[in-house]
C-alpha cells in the first residue's frame, strides 16, 4: 500500500535564496494557486493539489496511489475562519474524488498533527463529524475519504485518552469516532522521531516482557491500540528494519495488558 500527501508548497531540497520569487513563479504565476489560497506555505486549492498529485505519480513511477492525504490542513485555521476553511476542504475533497474517478488514487484522507488530538476550543481543532459531513456532501455515502492519520505514541496518547469528538451528541476519543464513521486510522510518530528511545520509565518497560528495545516497545504500544490500523515508523537503516520487524513476531498486547499501561 503506497500513501503520500500533499498540501505544502514543495521545493527540491532547501528553499532557494529568492524564496518568494520561486514560490511566485512556480505556483502563483502558473495558475496553481492564488496568493490568498496559500496560508503559511499550506495550500488546498484544487489546481495545486492536482498538480502535486500528478508530480507524485511521476516521481514514484506509478499510475495510481492507494491513499492520498491532505497534509496538516488544520494549519490554515490560524489565519482563516472555519466557514472559509470548510469551503476549502470541500473543494479539495471534490478534486480528490475526481482524481479517484480517473483512477489516479484509490482513497484519500487527512494526515494531521494537531487537528484530531487537541481540545475543541483549540484554534486548530478538527471535528471528525464535520469532515465526514463534507465528504458526504461531495459524494454521498460512496465517498473515498476513508483514512485519517495522527500522532500516537506513549508520550502523545490523546487519540485514546481525550474525549474531543462528538458523534450523535456523545463525546468520545477520535479512535472511537473514526470507527463510527468507518474510517481507518493510521498512527504516525510511533517513535516520535526517536525521541522516545531510552526515555521510557522502567515500570512501563517491564510491561513489555517479550520485547528487548524501546523502539520495539513503542511500536507494540501503537500497534496494540484498539482502532489503529497501522503504526508508522521511519526506518533509514537495515538494522532498524530488523529491530522493528522483531515486534511483528509477537502478538499485540491483549486488552488487559494494554489497559495496564495506563494504570
Amino acid at each position: 500500500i503506497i500513501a503520500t500527501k500533499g498540501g505544502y508548497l514543495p521545493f527540491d531540497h532547501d528553499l532557494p535564496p529568492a524564496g518568494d520569487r520561486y514560490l511566485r513563479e512556480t505556483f502563483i504565476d502558473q495558475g496553481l494557486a492564488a496568493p490568498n489560497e496559500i496560508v503559511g506555505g499550506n495550500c488546498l486549492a484544487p489546481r495545486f493539489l492536482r498538480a502535486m498529485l500528478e508530480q507524485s505519480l511521476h516521481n514514484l513511477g506509478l499510475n495510481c496511489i492507494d491513499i492520498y492525504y491532505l497534509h496538516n490542513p488544520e494549519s490554515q485555521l490560524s489565519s482563516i475562519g472555519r466557514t472559509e476553511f470548510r469551503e476549502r476542504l470541500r473543494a479539495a475533497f471534490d478534486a480528490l474524488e475526481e482524481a479517484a474517478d480517473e483512477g489516479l488514487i484509490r482513497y484519500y484522507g487527512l494526515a494531521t498533527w494537531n487537528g484530531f488530538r487537541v481540545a475543541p476550543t483549540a484554534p486548530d481543532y478538527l471535528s471528525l463529524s464535520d469532515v465526514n459531513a463534507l465528504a458526504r456532501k461531495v459524494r454521498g455515502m460512496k465517498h473515498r475519504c476513508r483514512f485519517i492519520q495522527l500522532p500516537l505514541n506513549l508520550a502523545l496518547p490523546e487519540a485514546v485518552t481525550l474525549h474531543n469528538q462528538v458523534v450523535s451528541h456523545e463525546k468520545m476519543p477520535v479512535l472511537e469516532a473514526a470507527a463510527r464513521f468507518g474510517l481507518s486510522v493510521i498512527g504516525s510518530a510511533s517513535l516520535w522521531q526517536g525521541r522516545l528511545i531510552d526515555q521510557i520509565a522502567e515500570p512501563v518497560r517491564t510491561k513489555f516482557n517479550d520485547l528487548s528495545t524501546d523502539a520495539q516497545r513503542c511500536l507494540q504500544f501503537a500497534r496494540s491500540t484498539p482502532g489503529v490500523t497501522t503504526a508508522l515508523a521511519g526506518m533509514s537503516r537495515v538494522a532498524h528494519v530488523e529491530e522493528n520487524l522483531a515486534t511483528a513476531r509477537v502478538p499485540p498486547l491483549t486488552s488487559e495488558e494494554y489497559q495496564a499501561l495506563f494504570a
Side-chain angles (χ1 to χ4, degrees):
I1 296 175
I2 296 179
T4 189
K5 52 195 176 184
Y8 283 103
L9 305 184
F11 38 91
D12 285 339
H13 189 269
D14 295 321
L15 186 65
D20 290 344
R21 177 182 175 184
Y22 167 80
L23 296 178
R24 184 181 69 253
E25 292 179 350
T26 306
F27 303 106
I28 297 173
D29 292 351
Q30 298 300 317
L32 300 183
N36 67 335
E37 292 177 315
I38 302 171
V39 179
N42 189 278
C43 183
L44 299 175
R47 302 176 306 283
F48 168 77
L49 292 174
R50 179 60 179 240
M52 296 302 99
L53 169 58
E54 292 175 352
Q55 186 65 54
S56 289
L57 288 167
H58 172 77
N59 291 348
L60 294 168
L62 297 173
N63 295 318
C64 179
I65 289 169
D66 296 303
I67 309 168
Y68 195 81
Y69 292 108
L70 298 179
H71 190 189
N72 291 355
E74 72 271 26
S75 64
Q76 294 208 12
L77 284 166
S78 62
S79 300
I80 65 174
R82 289 195 175 269
T83 300
E84 174 63 20
F85 176 76
R86 289 189 183 98
E87 178 54 31
R88 292 186 181 190
L89 203 57
R90 185 208 59 77
F93 284 3
D94 194 42
L96 293 176
E97 289 287 352
E98 290 182 3
D101 289 341
E102 297 174 41
L104 301 180
I105 64 174
R106 294 179 64 202
Y107 303 106
Y108 64 94
L110 307 181
T112 67
W113 187 259
N114 285 335
F116 292 125
R117 64 178 193 87
V118 295
T121 54
D124 49 0
Y125 167 78
L126 290 177
S127 163
L128 203 51
S129 292
D130 279 355
V131 170
N132 184 67
L134 284 172
R136 289 186 177 185
K137 184 176 181 181
V138 169
R139 193 55 65 93
M141 296 295 291
K142 295 183 179 180
H143 66 81
R144 281 84 152 211
C145 184
R146 299 279 293 279
F147 291 84
I148 61 170
Q149 184 184 130
L150 74 159
L152 174 64
N153 57 52
L154 284 163
L156 303 173
E158 295 89 354
V160 179
T161 60
L162 182 62
H163 288 61
N164 65 344
Q165 299 293 321
V166 178
V167 181
S168 300
H169 307 290
E170 181 183 352
K171 290 184 178 181
M172 61 188 68
V174 69
L175 285 173
E176 185 176 345
R180 298 278 187 99
F181 292 125
L183 297 170
S184 296
V185 179
I186 310 298
S188 64
S190 299
L191 310 181
W192 204 1
Q193 289 79 48
R195 284 182 241 181
L196 294 178
I197 306 303
D198 299 326
Q199 299 297 319
I200 299 177
E202 195 58 36
V204 177
R205 283 197 179 104
T206 61
K207 299 182 185 297
F208 296 91
N209 295 328
D210 297 324
L211 299 168
S212 58
T213 72
D214 279 353
Q216 293 169 351
R217 296 177 185 108
C218 289
L219 288 173
Q220 182 72 321
F221 168 79
R223 72 188 281 250
S224 300
T225 302
V228 170
T229 301
T230 301
L232 300 179
M235 290 173 274
S236 59
R237 302 176 185 175
V238 172
H240 293 164
V241 177
E242 293 172 343
E243 179 183 2
N244 293 346
L245 282 176
T247 313
R249 298 192 181 103
V250 302
L253 297 173
T254 66
S255 177
E256 292 76 16
E257 292 169 334
Y258 188 85
Q259 291 299 325
L261 294 172
F262 293 90

